[in-house]
Amino acid sequence: GVLVDEAAQATELSAVVPLILRGTQRLVLVGDHCQLPPTVQSSEAEARGLSVSLYSRMIDGGGLSPHLLDTQYRSHPLLAAF
C-alpha cells in the first residue's frame, strides 16, 4: 500500500507519482482538507487547476467521506478542549 501524509497539502501530481511508480491496491491519504492547500508558485499552474490536492478533490467532488478522528493526541488537553 501507499500512505500519503499531509495529503491535503500535496498537489495531485505529487500524490499520484508514487502510485504510478510503485502501483498499489491500497491508498491511504492522511490530512485535513480544511487547512492549508498545496503551495503552487506558478500562476499558470494554479489557473489550470493544479493547486488542488488529490485529497480535496476526492472529498469535495469524488463522493468520498473523510474519516474524522475524535481524539486529539498531539495537543495539550487545554488546547484540544478549546
Side-chain angles (χ1 to χ4, degrees), residues 11-80:
T11 63
E12 285 181 291
L13 293 175
S14 66
V16 170
V17 167
L19 304 176
I20 293 170
L21 293 179
R22 180 178 170 143
T24 188
Q25 293 191 11
R26 180 173 294 180
L27 172 64
V28 178
L29 300 174
V30 179
D32 184 347
H33 66 289
C34 295
Q35 289 190 1
L36 295 173
T39 300
V40 176
Q41 295 185 4
S42 166
S43 56
E44 181 179 352
E46 189 167 353
R48 294 176 181 252
L50 297 177
S51 62
V52 177
S53 71
L54 175 64
Y55 187 79
S56 292
R57 191 174 304 275
M58 292 177 78
I59 297 223
D60 295 337
L64 296 179
S65 299
H67 176 78
L68 303 176
L69 301 178
D70 61 3
T71 304
Q72 173 58 262
Y73 291 102
R74 294 176 14 177
S75 291
H76 187 280
L78 290 175
L79 291 174

